[in-house]
Amino acid sequence: MHFDRTLLLEMLQDAIGDEELFIVGLTVSDSVMPKVTVTLDGPTGLAIQACATISRRLARRIDEHYGEDSAYSLEVTSPGADQPLTDPRQYTRHIGRSLALKLADGTEKTGVLTASTPEGVEIEEVIKQKTKKTTLPAAFYPFTDIQEAKVVISFK
């Protein structure tokens, strides 16, 4: 059984309907029983209820198209806390949190996210020297320069 990723994306978009969510990832494992993994996010995150609803809607569409006997597993999930941010729309709800950025030139910046625009993010970089911490004025980093961005999780 072979899933057409483009068709799955269309079905998924349809299953999302007018929920305020966007697709972060869609993978299909290449195994005897393919596993379809959908990663969704939204401006305020992803509720369990929305996961269940979209999962049911998508499963119905897959069954209609590929036949009820098609063997596959389906997982609809949100990005884990340790997952890098991949969509500019994911940044807004993390304003006020610390971000760790890896830039295209190899440098790394860590600081509080103060603003997010469709073009990039503004962070107040924190520099640690021995026992002293210095917070620099907010600086703008375009998404084109950001190789990876992760929310820094603190357990204070």
Side-chain angles (χ1 to χ4, degrees):
M1 162 134 168
H2 180 72
F3 282 113
D4 177 342
R5 196 169 177 281
T6 312
L7 181 64
L8 280 178
L9 275 169
E10 281 172 27
M11 291 177 178
L12 176 56
Q13 214 46 81
D14 196 30
I16 292 170
D18 44 17
E19 300 259 357
E20 219 185 319
L21 298 170
F22 48 88
I23 302 164
V24 177
L26 171 66
T27 57
V28 181
S29 72
D30 203 17
S31 50
V32 181
M33 185 162 132
K35 179 178 182 184
V36 178
T37 307
V38 171
T39 310
L40 301 174
D41 208 345
T44 56
L46 181 66
I48 299 277
Q49 196 49 53
C51 274
T53 304
I54 291 165
S55 182
R56 274 195 306 275
R57 289 180 191 160
L58 183 57
R60 201 168 4 192
R61 283 167 177 77
I62 291 173
D63 293 346
E64 281 166 9
H65 185 84
Y66 289 99
E68 304 242 338
D69 303 331
S70 52
Y72 66 94
S73 68
L74 173 62
E75 181 185 24
V76 176
T77 180
S78 61
D82 57 343
Q83 292 295 304
L85 303 176
T86 54
D87 188 302
R89 293 172 289 188
Q90 288 179 286
Y91 288 80
T92 316
R93 76 164 192 274
H94 294 294
I95 288 173
R97 289 194 176 135
S98 279
L99 277 194
L101 302 182
K102 269 189 199 141
L103 302 178
D105 65 6
T107 57
E108 296 190 13
K109 310 269 180 200
T110 301
V112 175
L113 175 65
T114 54
S116 175
T117 73
E119 287 74 50
V121 293
E122 210 174 79
I123 69 166
E124 289 175 351
E125 187 183 356
V126 176
I127 297 174
K128 291 176 188 159
Q129 288 154 324
K130 293 183 184 142
T131 56
K132 215 172 76 186
K133 272 188 186 180
T134 310
T135 302
L136 301 181
F140 184 79
Y141 299 94
F143 289 122
T144 50
D145 289 357
I146 300 171
Q147 212 172 7
E148 186 181 82
K150 284 187 170 183
V151 175
V152 179
I153 301 162
S154 84
F155 297 100
K156 284 179 191 150

